[in-house]
Amino acid sequence: MPTSLRILHVASEMVPFIKTGGLADVVGALPKALNGLGHDARVAIPLYRSVRRKAEALGLTWSEHPLVIEAGGVDHRVGVGTVELDGTTVYLLACDELFDRDGIYGPSAGMDYDDNARRYAVFSKAALALPGMLGWVPHFIHAHDWQTGLIPALRERGFQRTLPATRTVFTIHNIAYQGAFWHFDMKLTGLDWSLFNPLHLEHYGRLNCLKAGVVFADRVTTVSRRYAEEIQLPEFGSGLDGVMRANAFKLRGITNGIDTAEWNPWTDEALPTRFDLRRPGGKRACKEELRTELGLVAAGQPALVAVVSRLVEQKGIDLVVAAVEPYILAGRMQLVVLGSGDTHLEHRLRQLQTRHPGWVHAWFGYNEELAHRIIAGADLFLMPSRTEPCGLTQLYSLRYGTLPLVRYTGGLADTVTDVASGSGNGFTFGPMDYGHFSSVLDRALGLYEHFPVEWKQAMKRAMGADHSWEQVAAEYVEMYREIMFVG
Ligand code: ADP
Ligand code: GLC
């Protein structure tokens, strides 16, 4: 068995090129960590319009000839750009008629382009054609989320001659996003119509890309152990729980890590003052600076409570808006929100800010540096998600000594333990309702106000835990080896 594995990761996002959520963080970090363990992990992503300039600044070079990818009777020329990023080779697949647009998935947040089936079918086929062009045949193609869900099906039924020994791994980062399209889009895949049935690519009359990945991959993983269990239940399966149960034999949960170089409070250049477990003093200064930056009054030293999130139903922001007001009025907490998403949630947060100037600050949009400063400066981080496949921000918060208050679900349950256990690092609640959320918030603020020693101990436990990718990457390697020569 070879000691060094060749793995091609294929995804629609990757830090530092393009990011709408945690998927990009994972695709930025996991291949790097695999390379750190001595493997040859490379990445393929689409060359979106906003990626081009960043890639050029990093020394983008082009292959001599483009790939020609057919989809539904139309030939697309796909240029192959290459960038070396900290020792990881990244292929940027360029097809201007599909990816040279202002948006990533759609013209604005929450909207989809109506040719997304074509865009990602072409991208998936191009990723499979890449090894032949490069003369570099990976042992594994590791596809992430619905945008690349066709890859395992195509490898199995279309590219089996060119990639006979290559195994496929498919990772679900969020089962709620499935890439479901009308049945005529089957012709874009080039796969036989006989596969359009409920055991394979069809799900209730539609072509379902996520299902294609699950059914055809040699191994399916998802991003936390608990989420791997949850998605087999109707409550969490978004209609695919039966498919997940049927494929449970090859499903594994591997809880994400975090990029500990990027999220290190001792070296973080976004912070006004640095701190860490051994030198925690700077955290207070970060809090005071953050208050000044955001125009929050400091009187009485209330707890600084933060949210950094996509503002969507999944994240439970509605509970935050519904529950915090009595605590703000009582002078017990200030709220800082950084996020973007649903306009009705933004509207409600704006109203909250107007009612409580100096006590609530909401910043709408995407701001990487501010995210670092908020996570460093806050005392408590709220994440009452309805579902959470893994969640990364609670892990960043732990590392920065900001205790997370989370709903006990998915990766949040895997990574946060309630202080009530005596050895916890945050606060958890179960039922998704106002009463339970409000009472755990009350309990968290109570601990902050009256039990500083216990609070500090929980902070230490939070900051001391190891969530680095190195360990997690080793788990992926173990899984790759299990399927290496099977079948
Ligand atoms: P999800 O992928 O479901 O959005 P995660 O917790 O896995 O949730 O990842 C979210 C990522 O996006 C984190 O890196 C977080 O810091 C970042 N993020 C979310 N909203 C913003 C924002 N408005 N500004 C900057 N970073 C953000
Ligand atoms: C998805 C999930 C999030 C997870 C991220 C990275 O966006 O919603 O929970 O942390 O993927 O795996």
Side-chain angles (χ1 to χ4, degrees), residues 224-377:
S224 69
R225 272 179 279 280
R226 191 176 170 98
Y227 195 61
E229 302 294 322
E230 288 177 345
I231 55 180
Q232 298 178 48
L233 306 171
E235 188 190 345
F236 294 98
S238 295
L240 284 181
D241 46 290
V243 176
M244 297 318 303
R245 285 195 298 279
N247 288 282
F249 67 95
K250 59 177 177 181
L251 172 66
R252 175 166 176 168
I254 301 180
T255 306
N256 285 334
I258 58 169
D259 188 329
T260 46
E262 167 76 15
W263 290 91
N264 178 350
W266 187 245
T267 55
D268 192 330
E269 289 181 1
L271 308 188
T273 315
R274 317 277 170 82
F275 61 94
D276 67 4
L277 181 59
R278 284 186 298 121
R279 295 150 290 200
K283 186 168 168 73
R284 173 167 279 277
C286 285
K287 175 154 92 171
E288 293 320 317
E289 289 279 338
L290 183 66
R291 282 194 163 125
T292 310
E293 177 180 352
L294 301 180
L296 297 172
V297 295
Q301 294 296 323
L304 191 54
V305 180
V307 172
V308 176
S309 179
R310 290 184 291 124
L311 301 177
V312 293
E313 162 99 6
Q314 180 210 334
K315 299 290 181 180
I317 309 299
D318 48 320
L319 273 194
V320 175
V321 178
V324 292
E325 217 155 4
Y327 302 104
I328 295 170
L329 284 168
R332 298 179 67 191
M333 63 168 271
Q334 292 175 315
L335 179 69
V336 179
V337 180
L338 167 62
S340 65
D342 292 353
T343 41
H344 81 276
L345 284 171
E346 289 192 10
H347 177 69
R348 290 177 65 194
L349 285 162
R350 231 176 241 118
Q351 286 178 325
L352 200 62
Q353 174 168 259
T354 310
R355 283 201 296 277
H356 305 285
W359 286 78
V360 175
H361 186 95
W363 203 103
F364 300 113
Y366 188 84
N367 188 331
E368 193 84 43
E369 297 211 329
L370 184 57
H372 282 243
R373 284 198 295 280
I374 290 177
I375 288 173

Side-chain angles (χ1 to χ4, degrees), residues 128 137 158-164:
L128 281 160
V137 180
F159 285 73
Q160 67 274 58
R161 275 192 303 278
T162 50
L163 296 167

Side-chain angles (χ1 to χ4, degrees), residues 119-299:
R119 296 171 80 224
Y120 290 105
V122 169
F123 172 61
S124 296
K125 287 182 179 181
L128 281 160
L130 195 57
M133 193 203 93
L134 298 169
W136 176 82
V137 180
H139 297 109
F140 302 96
I141 296 192
H142 190 148
H144 297 263
D145 270 354
W146 75 261
Q147 293 85 353
T148 61
L150 290 173
I151 286 180
L154 287 163
R155 207 297 313 170
E156 181 71 26
R157 297 298 169 96
F159 285 73
Q160 67 274 58
R161 275 192 303 278
T162 50
L163 296 167
T166 297
R167 302 284 158 204
T168 53
V169 174
F170 182 61
T171 295
I172 301 171
H173 292 261
N174 193 333
I175 204 167
Y177 301 96
Q178 299 178 359
F181 302 100
W182 75 327
H183 58 288
F184 279 121
D185 283 334
M186 261 304 279
K187 70 180 188 302
L188 301 174
T189 68
L191 292 165
D192 199 89
W193 268 101
S194 64
L195 293 178
F196 193 75
N197 73 71
L199 286 178
H200 295 105
L201 305 187
E202 183 206 340
H203 200 60
Y204 293 98
R206 291 166 79 75
L207 165 65
N208 188 304
C209 296
L210 192 93
K211 180 171 175 176
V214 171
V215 169
F216 281 98
D218 294 301
R219 259 305 191 282
V220 179
T221 74
T222 188
V223 290
S224 69
R225 272 179 279 280
R226 191 176 170 98
Y227 195 61
E229 302 294 322
E230 288 177 345
I231 55 180
Q232 298 178 48
L233 306 171
E235 188 190 345
F236 294 98
S238 295
L240 284 181
D241 46 290
V243 176
M244 297 318 303
R245 285 195 298 279
N247 288 282
F249 67 95
K250 59 177 177 181
L251 172 66
R252 175 166 176 168
I254 301 180
T255 306
N256 285 334
I258 58 169
D259 188 329
T260 46
E262 167 76 15
W263 290 91
N264 178 350
W266 187 245
T267 55
D268 192 330
E269 289 181 1
L271 308 188
T273 315
R274 317 277 170 82
F275 61 94
D276 67 4
L277 181 59
R278 284 186 298 121
R279 295 150 290 200
K283 186 168 168 73
R284 173 167 279 277
C286 285
K287 175 154 92 171
E288 293 320 317
E289 289 279 338
L290 183 66
R291 282 194 163 125
T292 310
E293 177 180 352
L294 301 180
L296 297 172
V297 295

